[in-house]
Amino acid sequence: MPNLLWLHADQPRIVQHVDDTFRRKVTQLYRQSIPANGAVLDLMSSWVSHLPEDVAYRLVVGHGMNAQELRRNKRLDRFFIRDFNKEPSNWAEKDNTFDAVVCCVSVQYMQQPECVFAEIQRVLKPGGVCIMTFSSRLFYSKAIQGWRDNSAFGRVSLVKQYFQCVKGFTAARVVTEVDVSSKPPNAWAALQDRVTKLLSGAAQQDPFYAVLAYKEAVLAYKE
């Protein structure tokens, strides 16, 4: 059986996988949650960044499955290629490096999430935030069965469990609404979004879900 995360990974996908409103919510949540001049690790990234363009960061590191896509991402200072379904642990990144670790619309493809989240906890600085965002869209053949067969509530609960399985995270918080009313969409992006929806027959906005937690500043002492 082929590794599902690598299925067609050698072919760049220079497309948007969620609508413009969803992407603006991701960007606004990042703006609210990630400190300016911080170090950010963007997991399972691609050719586009959802980090706010008007905020400067000291370091942005990307991870993904396709070097062609990642080279097009102008926000990345560097990137690395790694198959988390084969090698979920022992990343080269050092302990306590990043102020934020983010992953947009890709958590559903992790086959060994506990190992990946343990590495996220390791590379985060104390007090650093991990933000997982996702919608209802997915590549059906690539997503794990526990995601495919679940409801929206079940998927949110699943990501919360990923955090709970790793010692050193705060209680996970769920966000389903982010105010983007003061930040109108780019006109060209909005037009593209409308055309895509018309061609696909989609009438509704992509639902927005975010689950985030922080690395505990000091681990609780236990006898």
Side-chain angles (χ1 to χ4, degrees):
M1 179 178 179
N3 186 306
L4 296 180
L5 190 59
W6 271 109
L7 192 63
H8 305 308
D10 58 333
Q11 299 298 319
R13 296 177 181 270
I14 313 302
V15 295
Q16 297 285 3
H17 298 294
V18 282
D19 66 26
D20 181 73
T21 299
F22 182 98
R23 299 195 302 272
R24 288 192 291 130
K25 289 179 179 180
V26 174
T27 297
Q28 183 66 354
L29 182 61
Y30 288 175
R31 185 191 309 278
Q32 296 169 353
S33 306
I34 303 173
N37 202 39
V40 182
L41 174 58
D42 190 352
L43 294 181
M44 303 172 85
S45 187
S46 66
W47 67 282
V48 64
S49 172
H50 301 293
L51 293 168
E53 294 180 357
D54 58 336
V55 179
Y57 299 98
R58 178 173 54 82
L59 174 69
V60 180
V61 177
H63 154 266
M65 305 295 288
N66 187 283
Q68 293 181 59
E69 289 186 13
L70 294 171
R71 288 191 190 100
R72 291 175 66 116
N73 190 331
K74 302 303 182 183
R75 208 62 204 271
L76 302 180
D77 295 300
R78 58 179 171 86
F79 65 83
F80 65 98
I81 304 295
R82 192 180 185 92
D83 182 351
F84 284 165
N85 290 342
K86 286 185 176 179
E87 298 179 290
S89 305
N90 301 314
W91 305 350
E93 305 300 326
K94 296 180 180 178
D95 296 2
N96 306 314
T97 297
F98 296 99
D99 298 282
V101 176
V102 299
C103 180
C104 184
V105 296
S106 291
V107 65
Q108 61 266 34
Y109 307 121
M110 295 182 186
Q111 296 177 6
Q112 301 187 63
E114 295 90 347
C115 295
V116 174
F117 275 67
E119 284 294 277
I120 292 171
Q121 194 276 341
R122 179 183 66 79
V123 302
L124 274 174
K125 294 178 181 177
V129 65
C130 176
I131 306 173
M132 296 280 160
T133 52
F134 52 93
S135 188
S136 57
R137 297 200 198 189
L138 70 157
F139 292 109
Y140 190 86
S141 64
K142 293 172 63 178
I144 62 170
Q145 184 175 356
W147 192 277
R148 296 196 308 258
D149 297 343
N150 232 324
S151 63
F153 176 82
R155 291 168 178 174
V156 168
S157 298
L158 192 62
V159 179
K160 290 177 68 176
Q161 289 176 23
Y162 293 166
F163 283 111
Q164 292 168 359
C165 286
V166 178
K167 181 180 179 181
F169 278 116
T170 62
R173 179 166 66 93
V174 178
V175 177
T176 57
E177 280 301 329
V178 179
D179 184 12
V180 293
S181 57
S182 61
K183 298 185 179 299
N186 173 277
W188 175 242
L191 177 60
Q192 287 181 308
D193 191 50
R194 285 195 294 271
V195 170
T196 300
K197 286 186 174 182
L198 286 171
L199 292 175
S200 64
Q204 302 295 323
Q205 290 182 349
D206 289 329
F208 177 87
Y209 307 100
V211 182
L212 61 152
Y214 295 82
K215 180 172 180 175
E216 293 180 348
V218 179
L219 292 180
Y221 175 78
K222 293 185 178 180
E223 293 287 348

